[in-house]
Amino acid sequence: MKPTRIAFDDALQKVRDHAYAGPCEVLPVIMANGRILAQPVVAQRNCPPFDMSAMDGFAIRKDTLKLPGDHSLWIGEAQFAGEPMRPLSKNEARPIYTGAAVPSGTGAVLVKEKANIAGTSLLLSEALMAGANIRLTGEDARLNETVLDRPIRLNPAMVGTLSAYGVTNVTVRAKPRVAILVLGDELAGSEDATADQIIDANGPMVRALLEDAGCSILQHTRIKDDAQAICEALCSALDNGVNMIISTGGASVGAKDLLRSSVEAIGALIYFHGAHMRPGKPVLFATSRSGVPIFGLPGNPVAALVGARFFIMSAIRAWYGMSGEQPILRWSDCQDSGQTRILKAYAKPTEAGSAVVVLPGQQSHMMRSLLAANAWIVQGGDQPRRLFPLFDLLNDRADE
């Protein structure tokens, strides 16, 4: 059967329409790096938890800050971080260290380097600004304040910040469980390929992309061009409870391209087979009877990568409860070509913005330029030209 092709952007929307959000789970913050936040997070304590010194220096009483003339203050016992706070006595200048609780009655902290010390006294010869070098309770975060409120990929800085705010657990999306099926009689692994075989690049590449997106790979199988074997692999993946099936190869219309007929044989519903795009025209998207997304990526490596980068990542974003990805740059010109071209590119920041270069070797089998690429230009299809990063960072802050 001849594939029914749809526009690239319509295909992306079709994927989002039939993908679904995954379940949630609760994890300790320390184990949540790289996971996608599913529920808002509120601070569990004030940060700082108390008024504290921002510098090593001397705590000076409020009633001493703006007295006229020179004043001699006696130097009291030092206040270190972690020690209980002791009230500040009249005419006392107490040595205090960064992170230590500011004594009650303190108006400012005089930086140690600016202190004029004579024996056991501190000579105060100029007025201090009230509040100088004091970190106030809750100035970074207040108790019960919402500090993260959207689906976002947690990073090490967030893990540390949430820990400082007293957050011990966060609710994240479960990892999608995925099966990868690599189709083709001609394929072999790099360790055992003969001279007349092609080394499978798609399997390792798609697996790496999925793992980087937080997926758990339950099945990764290389399959011959055999309809029964393909059907059995599809059914096995569904029986194993995967949330998504990705195949590479066998998606076109040749005599040994058996994916579509195999998908139909297991009762899956095909939403599109073929898109007006280059590379990646033969891409297939379906769902099983139970609603599990099934993707058929082309066999040419760059076409497979493009399909995974845009279509599969669109489904993964839906699983994580995230909005659709937005380009990092959108040009005003609109190309009316019916076919969408997706070009390997290199974007270099400049003082004027970004300089974007289309790389050589745009054919769907040419991988060399991927070693230099850091972006994709998406153009044509009656849409403005758009620039996307080479891989979706799953960070909705880029959408703002």
Side-chain angles (χ1 to χ4, degrees), residues 59-79:
I60 307 298
R61 281 174 59 96
K62 294 178 183 177
D63 55 12
T64 309
L65 295 183
K66 296 185 179 181
L67 290 176
D70 295 343
H71 294 275
S72 177
L73 306 176
W74 62 276
I75 298 176
E77 184 180 350
Q79 180 93 35

Side-chain angles (χ1 to χ4, degrees), residues 50-61 74-88 92-113 115 117 122 128 132-135:
F50 47 80
D51 291 354
M52 65 172 63
S53 178
M55 304 287 286
D56 292 350
F58 293 86
I60 307 298
R61 281 174 59 96
W74 62 276
I75 298 176
E77 184 180 350
Q79 180 93 35
F80 293 94
E83 293 183 346
M85 185 271 293
R86 305 185 310 276
L88 193 60
E92 178 188 2
R94 181 175 302 170
I96 192 168
Y97 293 87
T98 304
V102 171
S104 59
T106 299
V109 171
L110 175 66
V111 178
K112 182 178 180 180
E113 290 77 8
I117 299 173
L122 182 145
L128 293 176
N133 302 311
I134 295 176
R135 300 170 182 167

Side-chain angles (χ1 to χ4, degrees), residues 300-313:
N300 279 318
V302 179
L305 178 59
V306 166
R309 163 64 180 85
F310 289 98
F311 296 118
I312 294 174
M313 288 307 302

Side-chain angles (χ1 to χ4, degrees), residues 3 23 31 38 43 53 89 98 112 156 191 221 300 324 330 348 371:
M31 297 176 60
S53 178
S89 300
T98 304
K112 182 178 180 180
E191 69 283 352
T221 310
N300 279 318
R330 190 189 301 267
K348 181 179 180 180
L371 300 179

Side-chain angles (χ1 to χ4, degrees), residues 4-310:
T4 302
R5 297 195 179 107
I6 63 174
F8 171 73
D9 286 273
D10 291 341
L12 282 175
Q13 186 59 51
K14 190 74 74 173
V15 171
R16 288 199 62 84
D17 289 344
H18 296 283
Y20 57 91
C24 300
E25 60 185 8
V26 177
L27 286 181
V29 167
I30 198 169
M31 297 176 60
N33 183 51
R35 301 296 294 272
I36 306 299
L37 189 67
Q39 292 183 3
V41 181
V42 299
Q44 299 300 303
R45 68 181 306 190
N46 291 320
C47 187
F50 47 80
D51 291 354
M52 65 172 63
S53 178
M55 304 287 286
D56 292 350
F58 293 86
I60 307 298
R61 281 174 59 96
K62 294 178 183 177
D63 55 12
T64 309
L65 295 183
K66 296 185 179 181
L67 290 176
D70 295 343
H71 294 275
S72 177
L73 306 176
W74 62 276
I75 298 176
E77 184 180 350
Q79 180 93 35
F80 293 94
E83 293 183 346
M85 185 271 293
R86 305 185 310 276
L88 193 60
S89 300
K90 187 174 180 63
N91 292 324
E92 178 188 2
R94 181 175 302 170
I96 192 168
Y97 293 87
T98 304
V102 171
S104 59
T106 299
V109 171
L110 175 66
V111 178
K112 182 178 180 180
E113 290 77 8
K114 295 184 178 181
N116 183 6
I117 299 173
T120 60
S121 298
L122 182 145
L123 302 178
L124 190 64
S125 58
E126 60 182 51
L128 293 176
M129 181 179 297
N133 302 311
I134 295 176
R135 300 170 182 167
L136 299 178
T137 302
E139 71 175 31
D140 191 26
R142 304 293 300 183
L143 174 65
N144 294 325
E145 178 185 356
T146 298
V147 291
L148 282 177
D149 62 355
R150 58 189 153 190
I152 195 167
R153 191 173 198 171
L154 295 172
N155 61 38
M158 294 174 184
V159 169
T161 301
L162 296 181
S163 297
Y165 296 168
V167 178
T168 56
N169 297 302
V170 289
T171 301
V172 298
R173 292 287 175 182
K175 290 188 173 187
R177 302 184 304 274
V178 182
I180 302 171
L181 311 179
V182 180
L183 313 184
D185 292 339
E186 75 280 13
L187 299 175
S190 57
E191 69 283 352
D192 54 12
T194 62
D196 58 350
Q197 289 182 305
I198 296 173
I199 292 176
D200 170 33
N202 290 345
M205 179 169 60
V206 171
R207 182 180 185 125
L209 181 146
L210 293 170
E211 290 180 333
D212 192 56
C215 299
S216 293
I217 310 302
L218 296 193
Q219 181 177 339
H220 185 173
T221 310
R222 195 176 299 126
I223 305 167
K224 297 292 185 181
D225 292 316
D226 178 84
Q228 181 176 347
I230 296 171
C231 288
E232 289 175 353
L234 291 168
C235 292
S236 174
L238 294 171
D239 291 343
N240 286 335
V242 300
N243 307 119
M244 198 178 303
I245 298 175
I246 293 100
S247 70
T248 68
S252 193
V253 292
K256 286 193 172 184
D257 290 313
L258 304 174
L259 179 65
R260 177 172 181 142
S261 59
S262 300
V263 168
E264 290 174 329
I266 66 167
L269 178 61
I270 296 175
Y271 295 101
F272 61 83
H273 182 195
H276 288 294
M277 58 184 289
R278 181 180 175 191
K281 186 185 299 182
V283 64
L284 178 146
F285 172 63
T287 56
S288 71
R289 290 173 178 172
S290 59
V292 173
I294 300 172
F295 292 92
L297 304 177
N300 279 318
V302 179
L305 178 59
V306 166
R309 163 64 180 85
F310 289 98

